[in-house]
Amino acid sequence: MYSRRQGNDMSEIIFAVEEAPDGGYTAQALGHSIFTEADTFEELREMARDAVRTHFDEGDPDRPLTIRLHLVRDELIPA
């Protein structure tokens, strides 16, 4: 999912990021068929940029200008 601000060309795409069970991270764009993964969070930033550039054409008016990585973490604790 991305948001476009009224009267402004700025847009954003949001990735839900999770820690992979076997290590590393996975990222799924909300509202788009974009998925990527990496061993480290730093690598994931670059992989997300590359995935967005690949998914949207250079002149596409819907191509986002910013990428938000939203880390989703589940933790179970004993009651």
Side-chain angles (χ1 to χ4, degrees):
M1 172 195 289
Y2 67 91
S3 61
R4 189 169 292 282
R5 298 178 185 170
Q6 291 288 74
N8 197 335
D9 288 338
M10 295 187 65
S11 64
E12 176 181 83
I13 189 167
I14 301 170
F15 281 82
V17 178
E18 296 181 353
E19 293 181 43
D22 56 342
Y25 297 90
T26 62
Q28 172 69 48
L30 304 180
H32 296 282
S33 298
I34 306 173
F35 177 84
T36 192
E37 59 188 349
D39 292 330
T40 67
F41 205 80
E42 291 76 24
E43 290 175 353
L44 188 67
R45 288 182 183 111
E46 289 304 315
M47 296 299 289
R49 280 187 192 112
D50 185 55
V52 168
R53 289 178 187 137
T54 300
H55 186 79
F56 295 94
D57 293 329
E58 183 71 34
D60 188 338
D62 291 329
R63 184 177 180 172
L65 299 176
T66 58
I67 299 169
R68 181 180 303 269
L69 300 179
H70 178 73
L71 184 59
V72 179
R73 181 174 171 182
D74 289 327
E75 184 174 345
L76 296 176
I77 58 172

